[in-house]
């Protein structure tokens, strides 16, 4: 944490594992994170919430976080589903959706008749044997299967333990159909670029804070951002020996990250 | 189909997609295959049934096939579960099982307390979101995760359509835990070698007949066997353009394969 910290003008915050731990009960805020978001906003730094969560529409997602006390609005959130909708429209793709029930509304305006691609998100309880077989059959029936994945996370932490994320199911379909998914969301470069553009801050003056060594830290660094890994959420000590990715710094939690960054300004 | 066909002394037959099409109703024999098995036996050729099916104990599996009219006994079947049990015993591994209910009995004599590995088979309806998460948590909780997979098939054909096979779920766990599964069953070399030893025929004098271009044909060829692909079961025309594997011949079905081979003797 050195000279570059003084140049920071904008922050991208991962949400699950940084702001709160998700769970069947809606989840709980991580100690100090509500206040940390308030302090970022008071500092005048630009702020963008960058999430791969696809278990709810952004509207519901934001309401849940507001209910925990976070100062957050829908316009401040960059999420995979709207990005996927842009791609579907541009390429006249009609998706078969394998997503969480609460995400379906994000695709309300998309033609889904006679599907010519599969969109997979973190479908959670919807990842049934029958639903996965159905998505597989749609894909294998195409001459050139198109699979769009809302993220490629391996797993995430809920209050009752670790859960498989969309990336694991994406790999299952990729293997079964011998196809490579197009990933929308972190760590896709276009996703970070959208967030930076929405914030109006160049990569060199932005910092990403996340709990995922690959999708948050590695993804952001490949776009020219600095990136911190918090030791909350899905963080595991072995992340610090990752063969390919090294964060610009580790912090115990978001509150500590904000302390350090605001001290440099 | 040339000189080598005259040297054939033993045949390995894949079962699902070659002898019968499986399905919720137990499945149906493929036309001509009951008679074809009878003709192989009458010819004096050695015969071994080589299956990756793990939805039932060999006992139930054989009874089902006998019910369809096949001349088959348990002693003639090479299957992944007994091979896995040998490995578990040799290495003092205690499995967490993610398998079909009907396969559990094959592991009756194996200590399963305090698991130090995961064994995954074609669990079918047992591939629930909850069960996959549970297997994942067992693996991710190990210092060095050990995942043993009963096959690596992508999908298979049942009477009501294609279904994802164990390989797809294996890939999901491999990705989530950053681990490589040890595959027991086709296309593992040890599996074909066991079948050959049980039959008492060297690879150069044996022929494999299967519907799976990778697991049957490719696997057998890498062990020095000749291999035919039938155009039944999961066969798809695009298999004939496979970049890596080319069968020694294509046949429309098992009956045709037996016609050709017996003519050469």
């Amino acid at each position: 944490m050195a000279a570059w910290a003084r140049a920071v003008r904008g922050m991208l915050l991962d949400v699950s594992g940084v702001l709160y731990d998700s769970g069947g009960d809606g989840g709980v805020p991580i100690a100090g994170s509500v206040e940390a978001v308030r302090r970022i906003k008071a500092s005048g730094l630009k702020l963008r919430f960058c999430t791969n969560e696809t278990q709810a529409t952004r509207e519901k997602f934001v309401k849940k976080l507001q209910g925990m006390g976070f100062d957050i609005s829908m316009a401040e959130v960059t999420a995979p589903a709207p990005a996927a909708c842009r791609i579907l429209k541009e390429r006249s793709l009609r998706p078969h959706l394998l997503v969480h029930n609460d995400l379906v509304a994000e695709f309300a305006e998309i033609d889904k008749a006679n599907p010519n691609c599969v969109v997979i998100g973190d479908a959670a309880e919807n990842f049934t044997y029958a639903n996965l077989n159905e998505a597989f059959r749609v894909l294998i029936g195409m001459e050139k299967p198109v699979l769009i994945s809302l993220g490629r996370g391996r797993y995430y932490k809920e209050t009752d333990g670790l859960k498989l994320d969309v990336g694991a199911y994406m790999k299952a379909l990729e293997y079964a159909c011998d196809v490579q998914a197009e990933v929308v969301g972190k760590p896709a470069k276009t996703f970070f670029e959208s967030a930076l553009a929405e914030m109006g801050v160049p990569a060199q003056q932005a910092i990403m804070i996340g709990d995922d060594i690959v999708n948050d830290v590695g993804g952001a660094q490949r776009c020219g951002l600095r990136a911190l890994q918090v030791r909350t959420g899905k963080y595991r000590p072995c992340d610090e020996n990752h063969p390919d990715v090294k964060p610009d710094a580790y912090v115990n939690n978001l509150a500590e990250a904000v302390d350090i960054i605001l001290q440099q300004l």
Side-chain angles (χ1 to χ4, degrees), chain A:
Chain A
M1 303 286 286
W4 60 262
R6 281 191 286 279
V8 169
R9 283 184 45 228
M11 290 174 76
L12 301 183
L13 299 190
D14 176 32
V15 179
S16 176
V18 175
L19 266 50
Y20 81 118
D21 280 322
S22 60
D25 49 354
V28 291
I30 292 170
S33 59
V34 169
E35 179 59 21
V37 169
R38 202 172 290 135
R39 290 173 63 207
I40 298 168
K41 291 199 166 180
S43 75
L45 287 176
K46 301 269 189 169
L47 175 60
R48 193 90 201 146
F49 300 95
C50 239
T51 183
N52 268 12
E53 279 193 67
T54 55
Q55 285 204 8
T57 57
R58 273 173 308 163
E59 192 179 347
K60 277 198 184 180
F61 179 66
V62 162
K63 275 198 181 136
K64 180 175 76 172
L65 290 163
Q66 287 171 341
M68 292 179 201
F70 287 102
D71 179 358
I72 182 173
S73 68
M74 244 178 82
E76 295 169 313
V77 175
T78 303
C85 286
R86 280 195 297 274
I87 291 173
L88 295 169
K89 282 180 191 163
E90 278 166 23
R91 289 161 54 188
S92 301
L93 290 170
R94 299 177 306 277
H96 170 89
L97 298 177
L98 177 54
V99 300
H100 198 284
N101 292 346
D102 288 345
L103 193 74
V104 174
E106 294 268 14
F107 297 87
E109 289 175 15
I110 302 288
D111 179 9
K112 292 178 280 287
N114 187 19
N116 58 3
C117 77
V118 167
V119 170
I120 184 173
D122 174 18
E125 303 288 346
N126 274 351
F127 280 133
T128 63
Y129 178 62
N131 285 349
L132 212 64
N133 271 330
E134 198 187 343
F136 158 66
R137 286 183 192 182
V138 171
L139 278 176
I140 202 80
M142 294 174 194
E143 201 180 332
K144 228 176 125 55
V146 175
L147 173 61
I148 294 176
S149 187
L150 306 180
R152 54 177 294 137
R154 292 166 189 263
Y155 55 86
Y156 52 86
K157 192 185 167 194
E158 292 212 325
T159 44
D160 64 343
L162 297 177
K163 299 258 168 93
L164 287 169
D165 199 358
V166 59
Y169 293 92
M170 172 193 87
K171 284 287 168 185
L173 292 177
E174 282 189 341
Y175 177 71
C177 302
D178 198 16
V179 64
Q180 177 127 31
E182 302 173 34
V183 177
V184 177
K186 298 175 286 185
K189 218 168 170 185
T190 49
F191 195 73
F192 286 103
E193 288 167 351
S194 294
L196 290 170
E198 286 153 347
M199 199 163 64
V201 170
Q204 299 73 21
Q205 298 181 349
I207 188 164
M208 172 80 206
I209 301 179
D211 64 335
D212 188 315
I213 183 73
V214 171
N215 293 301
D216 294 326
V217 176
Q221 288 178 332
R222 269 191 293 115
C223 289
L225 289 83
R226 302 284 177 162
L228 307 188
Q229 188 178 13
V230 288
R231 293 195 180 100
T232 54
K234 83 179 78 170
Y235 163 86
R236 297 166 75 217
C238 64
D239 290 345
E240 304 202 11
N241 305 318
H242 195 283
D244 303 320
V245 184
K246 200 174 163 45
D248 291 280
Y250 296 97
V251 286
N252 286 316
N253 50 48
L254 177 63
E256 188 181 296
V258 171
D259 277 347
I260 296 171
I261 291 164
L262 296 190
Q263 271 170 24
Q264 308 286 330
L265 296 180

